Amino acid sequence: MEFPMGYRMRFTTIGYIEWRKGQDILVDALAGISEEELRGSEFLLVGQDSSTMAFGLREKTADKPWIRMTGTVSREEIHQILDVTDVLICPSREDPMPTVCAEAMMHCVPCLVSDATGTAAYISDGVDGMIFKSEDTDKLREKILWCIKNRDIVKSMGDGAYKVYERIFSMEAFEKNLLAHVREMTGMIRGQTNG
């Protein structure tokens, strides 16, 4: 696939800017990448930015035009942002099941997640998304650089991400899993009452 002249690869992270969500890990990972390598990329930090950590990150990134903090946005704006996002980064230190990853996959956006997210269990690393060890800025940096250098592959990963969404996170998958669980539970209850 050919990308238009001046195309900027967009990486997005969405969530309250706080220690648990790990946006500082992302900013630290980017600090180890040269300006030349980052040229043509954009990193959006979307979410509530009134925390102490957010103020610190704003100061730290003030001279880095490739990093933008947007503050809080509406649900509609999140979908608009995901429509023009190439990779969603979820660098959380702990996050049982970030809904934003499912939303990104619904938009055919591959997710780059830490292994401390519940979503990592559903991603095949390098196939329909990417996984890095939580708090490992070097590994996160490697994955980001790989994405920048392999835009075509990243684009095709989006199709795989959508398949994960359909199989695991869609309403149809939820209903199917719920029905299977109800059948299992009613079978157990029947088995207990008959025995």
Side-chain angles (χ1 to χ4, degrees):
M1 174 180 206
E2 281 298 311
F3 291 93
M5 193 73 144
Y7 172 80
R8 292 175 68 80
M9 187 167 199
R10 180 174 283 166
F11 296 83
T12 303
T13 181
I14 301 172
Y16 192 98
I17 296 178
E18 60 177 345
W19 182 86
R20 188 174 72 86
K21 293 288 188 180
Q23 291 94 340
D24 58 319
I25 297 167
L26 171 59
V27 170
D28 289 346
L30 294 175
I33 302 176
S34 72
E35 265 187 68
E36 187 180 335
E37 289 172 304
L38 287 171
R39 195 173 295 127
S41 297
E42 178 179 41
F43 295 82
L44 292 183
L45 276 62
V46 178
Q48 173 66 270
D49 59 355
S50 59
S51 66
T52 304
M53 188 172 111
F55 286 114
L57 289 181
R58 184 169 281 110
E59 278 182 27
K60 204 171 187 176
T61 62
D63 62 341
K64 295 171 178 49
W66 52 87
I67 301 175
R68 267 194 318 134
M69 294 174 73
T70 67
T72 305
V73 300
S74 69
R75 297 295 315 153
E76 185 182 326
E77 287 171 305
I78 284 176
H79 289 288
Q80 290 169 357
I81 289 167
L82 288 172
D83 277 338
V84 292
T85 291
D86 295 289
V87 178
L88 179 91
I89 301 178
C90 188
S92 300
R93 289 180 168 92
E94 55 181 58
D95 213 334
M97 195 56 70
T99 56
V100 70
C101 290
E103 288 177 316
M105 291 176 184
M106 183 176 72
H107 286 265
C108 299
V109 175
C111 299
L112 169 50
V113 302
S114 81
D115 61 3
T117 65
T119 310
Y122 303 106
I123 290 175
S124 298
D125 189 35
V127 177
D128 46 33
M130 292 149 283
I131 304 167
F132 73 99
K133 185 167 175 41
S134 180
E135 297 194 66
D136 189 336
T137 54
D138 292 334
K139 286 295 175 201
L140 177 55
R141 183 180 308 114
E142 280 176 29
K143 299 276 186 179
I144 290 168
L145 282 168
W146 184 89
C147 289
I148 290 170
K149 292 171 184 166
N150 295 280
R151 293 179 182 204
D152 288 338
I153 299 171
V154 169
K155 198 76 178 157
S156 67
M157 274 186 184
D159 297 331
Y162 185 75
K163 287 176 183 161
V164 172
Y165 166 76
E166 280 187 314
R167 194 177 72 247
I168 307 293
F169 301 110
S170 69
M171 189 53 74
E172 292 81 7
F174 175 76
E175 288 171 2
K176 184 176 160 189
N177 293 334
L178 180 62
L179 281 172
H181 184 67
V182 168
R183 283 189 195 107
E184 183 183 325
M185 293 307 292
T186 54
M188 286 178 170
I189 293 168
R190 261 191 230 114
Q192 288 174 353
T193 56
N194 293 338

